[in-house]
Amino acid sequence: MTTPSPAMGEPGLDITVRTAAGGGQTLLSAFDAALLGAGVANFNLVRLSSVIPRSSRVRLSHDPVPGAHGDRLFCVWAAGYAEHPGETAWAGLGWVRDEAGNGLFVEHDGGSEESVLEQIHLSLDDLVTGRGGGYGPAETIVVSAHHEHRPACALAIAAYQVMPWEVA
Amino acid sequence: MTTPSPAMGEPGLDITVRTAAGGGQTLLSAFDAALLGAGVANFNLVRLSSVIPRSSRVRLSHDPVPGAHGDRLFCVWAAGYAEHPGETAWAGLGWVRDEAGNGLFVEHDGGSEESVLEQIHLSLDDLVTGRGGGYGPAETIVVSAHHEHRPACALAIAAYQVMPWEVA
Amino acid sequence: MTTPSPAMGEPGLDITVRTAAGGGQTLLSAFDAALLGAGVANFNLVRLSSVIPRSSRVRLSHDPVPGAHGDRLFCVWAAGYAEHPGETAWAGLGWVRDEAGNGLFVEHDGGSEESVLEQIHLSLDDLVTGRGGGYGPAETIVVSAHHEHRPACALAIAAYQVMPWEVA
């Protein structure tokens, strides 16, 4: 499911798509546990709405993102929460790219895999149609998390770029 | 409704205020359709809470914001969603500036134009009073979106600045 | 409750933790009133999820954050809203640091001081356990806001860094 960049000679972002599930005593710590599983827990996340720059590489990875503890990490994510006993939550990302490499992410969460995948495909269909078409097939990734004695978070996240703080 | 900068000789941001309505099969794609109408759909939006820097120009525009596909766009927005058949959603921005050019945006959404405008004026009144007054009259812009066979999004957005990614 | 940096010779962020309560005719203006009380109302806030960089200083302050009107301010916050007559809302931050100075914030809000403190401690316990331990004792700060004739906001905020806009 790796998408090679259509413009490999150009410098660009190395976007890594990651999934994980995590549990915790609170929704916040369940989210953090999922971030740990995805290799991005020690960054300050800044959320983006969800366009893939032209010369980016998009690939799957679960290696920890390199960077200093507390750096900013710009990223796109979907998170689903299983808050109640027995509940299962799903989250997923979908993406398409055109021939020049311009791309789009969509993020959805819900109570079933089918629901999340359906929303991803409906959204991508609309986004592509709205731009006049010309995109390749959709790629998708989904993940689930089950409430076992404690809340759980399903996380699908695309890590764009780490930026350090500006310190004198 | 264009607000000329009170400090026109100084360099500053060129903030463009935009409105649009869009429909889609999901709330996400309805939001994207509104972003397309507003000329900002191909950026990674980073949301701000909503202060106008002193030397900024604030003007209405619907021309596409210049920049590369996938660059970050810092912006302020209000979005209202018409999720159910027959429903109409409203969204709006209001803003004021003082003599030096310092300004403030507020963002509201709701089920009627009157409700959104009332919230905008109540919020701006409080923000101005809390800072000891001295601001000019409020400017406002509102937009509606109607659920016609599919969900719709009303979007009022102020685009501050595009920032490219840092690639080697 | 000031946390001296464990690596005081290194350059790092000067993170200031602030609390305030504010009231307004709308939830937005109540939030703004709390931002005014906390000394951060005239910035464009960009929200972070909530890691303390290694060489940061973390200290309590209510002096206005230095910077130009409308600059971006990267920060972490919890906000609780008392929307209905007689209601009281609470918000709080908790944080821990390890011997090297790496730290973590958590943010919670709720209807009572006990509830917010319990959530903070449960979250921090999970975050520390998930990273294999080695962190010092938790520090916490909470604040309340009461609905008196109008909505109120309780705000606990950690201000990381001001970044000016890039103007030509």
Side-chain angles (χ1 to χ4, degrees), chain A residues 13 15 46-54 56 74-77 103-107 131 158-161, chain B residues 31-32 35 39-48 65 67-75 77 157 161-165:
Chain A
L13 297 183
I15 300 176
V46 180
R47 197 169 193 172
L48 300 170
S49 74
S50 56
V51 173
I52 303 174
R54 188 166 75 94
S56 308
F74 289 85
C75 47
V76 167
W77 74 81
L104 303 162
F105 276 115
V106 297
E107 322 87 35
R131 286 166 177 77
Y160 275 56
Q161 186 166 64
Chain B
F31 179 62
D32 180 72
L35 294 175
V40 297
N42 292 323
F43 294 101
N44 279 297
L45 307 186
V46 180
R47 197 170 193 171
L48 299 170
V65 170
H69 185 92
D71 281 352
R72 290 171 295 163
L73 174 60
F74 288 85
C75 48
W77 74 80
I157 189 165
Q161 186 167 62
V162 172
M163 289 197 188
W165 295 100

Side-chain angles (χ1 to χ4, degrees), chain B residues 11 48-53 74 102-103 106 108 122-123 126-127 131 160-161 163, chain C residues 24-26 28-29 32 36 41-46 69-70 72 165-168:
Chain B
L48 299 170
S49 72
S50 57
V51 174
I52 303 174
F74 288 85
N102 298 319
V106 298
H108 283 287
L122 290 173
S123 287
D126 284 347
L127 268 61
R131 287 166 177 76
Y160 275 55
Q161 186 167 62
M163 289 197 188
Chain C
Q25 296 172 286
T26 67
L28 179 60
S29 62
D32 181 71
L36 273 171
N42 292 323
F43 294 100
N44 279 298
L45 306 186
V46 180
H69 186 91
R72 290 171 294 162
W165 295 100
E166 295 163 9
V167 288

Side-chain angles (χ1 to χ4, degrees), chain A residues 23-33 35-36 41-47 69-72 74 77 150 164-168, chain C residues 11-13 46-54 74 76 102-104 106-108 119 122-123 125-127 130-131 135 160-161 163:
Chain A
Q25 296 173 286
T26 67
L27 297 182
L28 179 60
S29 62
F31 180 62
D32 180 72
L35 294 175
L36 273 171
N42 292 322
F43 293 100
N44 279 298
L45 306 185
V46 180
R47 197 169 193 172
H69 186 91
D71 280 353
R72 289 171 295 162
F74 289 85
W77 74 81
R150 56 183 192 166
W165 295 99
E166 294 164 9
V167 289
Chain C
L13 298 182
V46 180
R47 196 169 194 173
L48 299 169
S49 73
S50 57
V51 173
I52 302 174
R54 189 165 75 94
F74 289 85
V76 166
N102 297 319
L104 303 162
V106 297
E107 323 87 35
H108 283 286
Q119 291 180 79
L122 290 174
S123 288
D125 285 352
D126 284 348
L127 267 61
R131 286 165 177 78
Y135 289 81
Y160 275 54
Q161 187 167 63
M163 288 196 189

Side-chain angles (χ1 to χ4, degrees), chain A residues 22-27 30 81-84 146-153:
Chain A
Q25 296 173 286
T26 67
L27 297 182
Y81 292 92
E83 297 190 46
H84 305 109
H146 187 65
H147 187 298
E148 286 177 36
H149 312 301
R150 56 183 192 166
C153 173

Side-chain angles (χ1 to χ4, degrees), chain B residues 76-121:
Chain B
V76 166
W77 74 80
Y81 292 92
E83 296 189 47
H84 306 108
E87 202 177 1
T88 299
W90 288 82
L93 296 176
W95 63 101
V96 292
R97 306 192 74 174
D98 69 12
E99 288 190 1
N102 298 319
L104 303 162
F105 277 115
V106 298
E107 322 87 35
H108 283 287
D109 64 277
S112 73
E113 183 173 17
E114 294 69 28
S115 163
V116 171
L117 285 171
E118 182 177 347
Q119 291 180 80
I120 287 173
H121 286 292

Side-chain angles (χ1 to χ4, degrees), chain A residues 115-142:
Chain A
S115 163
V116 171
L117 284 171
E118 181 177 347
Q119 290 181 80
I120 287 173
H121 286 292
L122 290 173
S123 288
L124 285 175
D125 285 351
D126 283 348
L127 268 61
V128 166
T129 302
R131 286 166 177 77
Y135 289 81
E139 298 192 72
T140 59
I141 193 163
V142 295

